[in-house]
Amino acid sequence: MTSLFAQEIRLSKRHEEILSRRLKLLQQMKSKFGDQNKEKASQIQAAETAFKRNLSLLKDIEAAEKSLQTCIHPLPPPEVVSLETLYWASVEDYLPKWEQFLLGRAPHPIAVETQNEAENTIGNKAQ
């Protein structure tokens, strides 16, 4: 009977040791988990700061690029811009005529206009 009682005491002590180690391990895990959360929060903060810095640098680079572009290719004078606008408007007007000619559905647009102008000039001289 005493051997059973001694064995019970030994098992009880062993159980307490195991519970004590378990509690210690749980505390260590909790501490490590807290440290990981702090580290993760720190990394998130660092990433956000880096993102803001990179965005600022990108804006600065774009501004510098725009500044260099205006230095290299200054804006043309208003007269040139006006002529360019008129040129592209003329191109848009003539585009359908040229498309028909290039598709083989109409005569050469310049030849027709030249012929019409010549007829108008002859007609005006006759009057």
Side-chain angles (χ1 to χ4, degrees):
M1 180 95 161
T2 45
S3 83
L4 287 176
F5 185 68
Q7 188 177 4
E8 182 70 29
I9 291 174
R10 193 171 40 83
L11 288 174
S12 179
K13 286 182 182 180
R14 180 75 177 140
H15 179 70
E16 285 180 26
E17 287 175 18
I18 291 171
L19 288 178
S20 174
R21 280 202 287 174
R22 180 180 180 269
L23 181 62
K24 192 183 278 186
L25 287 172
L26 286 173
Q27 288 172 345
Q28 287 175 352
M29 286 175 56
K30 186 177 180 181
S31 174
K32 188 169 184 170
F33 183 70
D35 291 346
Q36 285 177 343
N37 282 345
K38 287 178 186 176
E39 185 178 334
K40 188 175 184 178
S42 174
Q43 287 175 346
I44 289 172
Q45 180 65 33
E48 288 174 355
T49 303
F51 177 77
K52 289 177 183 175
R53 183 195 68 232
N54 290 346
L55 194 59
S56 173
L57 288 171
L58 184 61
K59 287 180 182 177
D60 291 345
I61 289 171
E62 288 172 349
E65 182 181 17
K66 196 174 202 177
S67 173
L68 286 173
Q69 285 295 334
T70 56
C71 289
I72 294 171
H73 304 291
L75 293 175
E79 299 84 16
V80 173
V81 173
S82 175
L83 286 172
E84 189 175 297
T85 304
L86 290 172
Y87 169 77
W88 285 112
S90 170
V91 168
E92 288 177 7
D93 287 344
Y94 276 94
L95 191 61
K97 295 175 187 175
W98 277 100
E99 282 183 88
Q100 294 302 315
F101 167 72
L102 292 172
L103 292 172
R105 298 181 188 154
H108 194 281
I110 301 294
V112 171
E113 284 183 13
T114 307
Q115 185 178 5
N116 288 341
E117 287 176 10
E119 289 173 359
N120 289 338
T121 305
I122 292 172
N124 288 339
K125 286 183 183 179
Q127 291 175 353

